[in-house]
Amino acid sequence: MIRRTLKLAWFKRNRYALTVVAIALSVAFIVSTLLLTTSIADVGEPLRSAYDDVDVVVTGPEVAGGDGPVQAISAPVPAAVVADLTAAGRIAVGLADPYAQVLTSDGQAGGQDQAAANVAEPWLGDSPLNGFAIVEGAAPEVVGEAVMDVSTADAASLAVGSTIRFVTDSGVQEARLVGLATFGGSDNDPYTSTLLLAPEHPIFTTAEGFQRVLVADATVADVAAMVSGMEVESGADWIQAEQDALNDFLGFFSTFLTVFAVVAVVVGMVIVTNTFTVSLSQRTQELALLRLVGTTRRQLLSQVVLEAVLLGTIGTAIGLVLGLAGVSVLGWFLDVLGLVIERSNTISATALVVGVIVGLGVTVVASVRPAWKSTEVAPIEALRSSEADLTDGGTRRRMLTVGVLAIGLATLAWGIAQSDILFTGVAIGAIFLALYLGADSLVRIAARLTRPLLGRAGPTGTIASRNLEKNAGRTAAAASALMIGIALIGFFTLMAATIGQFIAGDAGEALEADLVVQGIGSQPEPALNDDVLEQVGSVDGVEIVVPLYQTSVSPVGDVEFERAGPGGGGGLGVALTDVDALAQAYAFVLNAGSLDDIAGSSVAIDQATADGFGRSIGDTLAVTSLAGPAELEVVAIIETSLPGSPQPAIIGDLSLRTTLGYDDPATAAYIVGSVLPGDVNEAIDLPTVEVVSRTDYIDGLSSNLDTILALVYALLAVAVLVALIGIANTVSLAISERVGEIAATRAAGASSRQIFWSLLAEFGLLAIVGIVSGLVFAWIAAASLFNALSGGQIGTPEVDVLTALLIVAAGLSGALIASWFPARSAATTDILDVLRAD
Amino acid sequence: MSDQTDQRNAPPATSSERTVARLVNATKRFGTGDAAVTALNDATIEFRKGEFTAVMGPSGSGKSTLMYCQSGLDRLTSGHAYIGDVDVSTLSDQELSVMRRSTLGFIFQSFHLVPALTSRENITLPVDLNANAEVDEAFLNELAVVLGIEHRLENLPSQLSGGQRQRVAVARAMIPRPDVIFADEPTGALDSKTSGELLAYLRTAVDDLGQTIVMVTHDAVAASHCDRVVYVQDGVLVDEGRNPTVDDVLGKIRELS
Ligand SMILES: Nc1ncnc2c1ncn2[C@@H]1O[C@H](COP(=O)(O)OP(=O)(O)OP(=O)(O)O)[C@@H](O)[C@H]1O
Ligand SMILES: [Mg+2]
């Protein structure tokens, strides 16, 4: 008796432990993602304190982009604007953000990180417009002196007093580091490595215009009266816009993390509901007995809810601690991946409060329904049958499922036909709901379909199959939890494959260049100036050098077209190059026209752009560029354009640079010739430029994506882990219900191995239902979403059978491992423990 | 019967061809130290083929323990339990399982049918568990008819009465034609009419099929159906008799308590 009591307590403890773990993990997940999101959202703060004296900001009219990977390009503000404002008694300074990348003491590119912009700014001294403050050493007084932000100095291991080298558009320069500065109280200007130089430095005096002009002691109205053709806004508005742009840039992460937090809540809720449903089903008799002796429903309900509150509190407390640790782990993971996302250390109280509300709330809400249903059962009926089914099975649920599914499919058909994102979204939601509601039916169907197969394994197989069918109402929740996790993994895998294809394009086959020279990616693209190109050309073995100048323009007119895939956004990428040379390095598939006709304002566009704008050979395309409006004539249409992000929609001749107002160095170059990357690298000897082989270049095109995917998968792994805990929970609950049956089967001669495998078969099948429905759902969601988002341009995503099998195998192994221990312990339970109990 | 009482300390009975199960100097202790309970105390007994034996004794005297240890469901602290010539303590879990499904049959007070299986499936369970054994359909039908459950074979246990469930359990114990059936208070949960029918059937099985049955019971009427009755007290075999009448048994029980 004692052993049995302990045994049952052990089962119960197990059940509670898993419930607590499920709650804790959900809370930890929510809290850490929220903490990360809020700390990311905070990084615009330094701007505000650095520029609190800036009253007005003048920028040039925006030419292109500002959306997605197409960088915003604004026309420069003429130097005269600053002179006029100063003459009118305003404090004004123009900032050109010239490229300047610090090298480490051992000569490596030494910005804070790869994502940071590397710029030089003039030291503004006591001016209220100076956002920087010296925290060590002194200000740069003469041209040979430099100051840099604390983060950059740390990252490059440079100390005050040392001589530093930095790369600019005109080559490598030297200076003495005389001091370190902070920006608005923070160690650096967000996402920027700044080198502060004396205003007399040639890097500033050669600038022909400014990115922006900061003005103090002025109002928007009077500045607007003094300048024309410029954008004039208040300092506060400008900072807000900058912060919004930052947030846009990080929007993917915030959205993504929020989606995951929601997923965590849903999975957590499914598991907790499941736990309470099952444990209350088992206790129906006990509850009925209490009702018989006069306990009210309300009293029973409060007893159950109290239990939930207790579990919820423990789980939430553990979850909060884990969440605080988790945010560091997430941050660490971002760093390891080289995904540079600046974060503040503020701990948002909101995140903690949300965690508590969710942890406690979900648990209590999840317990109330089954509790209410269990007390609804008439006491005498509950006493008669040993357990009641508290799930909503039955006709009503099935009708609801079919109804929701029908609505979902109908909406989906409409959404696909119209490529409408709203309809598609609603359809996906409805189909998901139908899958969730119908999970028990799916499990029943799977049980029936596999019965002949399982039956062949003997009566234990039959028992497994029958139990799977009988308990489907309860165990299906575990399948649903797994379905959510697998659906997300499947969806992101399909998305990655599709996007990867867009980024790399057909570059793999079309690129014939042997080497590619490119800047080590950062925001004003680093210099491949004429000197560098010349050096490359003089290396032994180099036959052809094809410089690429990449910029962007905005299409003029009410054009609704947006490029599908990651090249989409408000602008069109342009690649300007020596087209004759390019033909040696890149094999275009020509759909119409002739590449030979590309010259001056005559350009090639890719098929997607041609379709999107409805242009054919001889048509013109009106755009706005840095130099103002321009008319481009389409003389060639190519199937796919050069690789890149954004993929250039337009390919033009070098002479078009002037027309489009592009006077920066080249952004990349293709090299044809039999020469090793190392040799070219040596000749250039510029750490901010790298030379890579064709294969490395093509691999590198999607490496950013791979990095982001690694993060996505890490987070998904957590979601799947939560789901697997749900499975383990369900398995041990189901098994604890079934000790009597297992003992009876054992007494009739079943070996523990037979019992063990039949339990594994049962829960493996349950997992397969979840995994397969998750994959199917992922495919439907991905196919229809891509279709809607791309306006029908992206066809159905290709399914990589191997990946699909891998996901199934991984999910199934996870589920089997989760079932392994409870099944093992049930199979080896001493028969007598149970038999003696009666 | 006092003449037979002397046998209780007799030397271990040697295995004869007729012995299907025996305990030799069997001791079973639960717990340790002060809390230790000696449920079986150096008990030696043998069960012969085709014999219907009742095991009787006060509550807590060790009857169930004797049965569980004899059948290999539990392990002795010391001594030996043989099924045929095999010492069950030498068997692995797998071998014990095979023995349970082919050599032994069990009937419990609370039936212990598998709820997910129909009556028929419950009955054939021990045979089905053997990958290469075939159910003897003729024997199954005969059992069902004799036990009066031929119309309930496709029902689940939850759809049967207690008496019907116990008859399914009896059929399940009989189907592999085991060497010995162990029944622990099989009539404990049944009314007197139903238990009378059940006992009559067990008697027939012994007489007609030569089935060996060991039955733990508190019921003198049940014991009177048996060929032999053994009395257990404090883990020791204190007495035994043959072809007992109800009065014999009642008298003995009164004497013991
Ligand atoms: N698992 C166990 N742990 C501890 N003590 C036990 C255990 N099983 C039995 N006992 C003890 O062993 C003794 C014999 O128990 P057993 O179940 O064999 O008695 P019984 O003769 O079958 O009684 P009843 O007629 O009431 O069924 C009792 O004192 C009992 O408390
Ligand atoms: Mg007993």
Side-chain angles (χ1 to χ4, degrees), chain B residues 59-60 62-65 68 109 184-185 216 218:
Chain B
S59 185
K63 306 181 293 294
S64 295
T65 306
Y68 294 151
Q109 177 175 358
D184 195 352
E185 301 182 41
V216 172
H218 284 281

Side-chain angles (χ1 to χ4, degrees), chain A residues 616-815:
Chain A
S616 47
I617 303 297
D619 291 348
T620 54
L621 190 64
V623 298
T624 325
S625 71
L626 285 168
E631 298 258 309
L632 305 176
E633 190 195 349
V634 178
V635 294
I637 295 174
I638 49 178
E639 178 59 35
T640 44
S641 186
L642 299 172
S645 174
Q647 219 177 352
I650 300 168
I651 293 179
D653 184 64
L654 286 177
S655 59
L656 195 57
R657 280 186 295 171
T658 332
T659 317
L660 299 183
Y662 184 89
D663 55 6
D664 282 337
T667 46
Y670 293 151
I671 299 176
V672 178
S674 51
V675 57
L676 293 173
D679 295 342
V680 181
N681 241 336
E682 212 166 283
I684 303 173
D685 190 28
L686 202 57
T688 53
V689 170
E690 63 174 359
V691 183
V692 293
S693 68
R694 175 175 44 211
T695 41
D696 285 352
Y697 174 72
I698 291 165
D699 288 350
L701 286 175
S702 53
S703 74
N704 252 350
L705 184 71
D706 293 345
T707 309
I708 293 174
L709 271 186
L711 175 76
V712 170
Y713 284 132
L715 290 174
L716 285 171
V718 179
V720 172
L721 184 72
V722 177
L724 289 179
I725 288 174
I727 294 256
N729 206 358
T730 308
V731 174
S732 46
L733 287 174
I735 286 175
S736 73
E737 253 175 25
R738 229 179 279 161
V739 280
E741 175 184 301
I742 291 170
T745 320
R746 294 266 284 135
S751 65
S752 42
R753 205 180 311 149
Q754 282 169 314
I755 300 282
F756 175 68
W757 285 112
S758 83
L759 289 172
L760 276 199
E762 180 181 341
F763 295 107
L765 208 55
L766 183 70
I768 288 176
V769 171
I771 294 167
V772 171
S773 51
L775 281 181
V776 170
F777 174 72
W779 190 83
I780 294 176
S784 55
L785 264 187
F786 295 167
N787 172 68
L789 286 174
S790 71
Q793 286 181 62
I794 303 186
T796 48
E798 270 176 43
V799 176
D800 181 10
V801 177
L802 193 71
T803 314
L805 285 180
L806 213 70
I807 294 176
V808 172
L812 188 58
S813 342

Side-chain angles (χ1 to χ4, degrees), chain A residues 60-65 72-76 552-555 570-571 623-628 660:
Chain A
E62 188 165 288
V63 172
I73 295 186
S74 294
S552 38
V553 294
S554 277
V623 298
T624 325
S625 71
L626 285 168
L660 299 183

Side-chain angles (χ1 to χ4, degrees), chain A residues 116-129:
Chain A
N118 296 281
V119 298
E121 301 291 2
W123 174 252
L124 299 179
D126 293 336
S127 164
L129 300 174

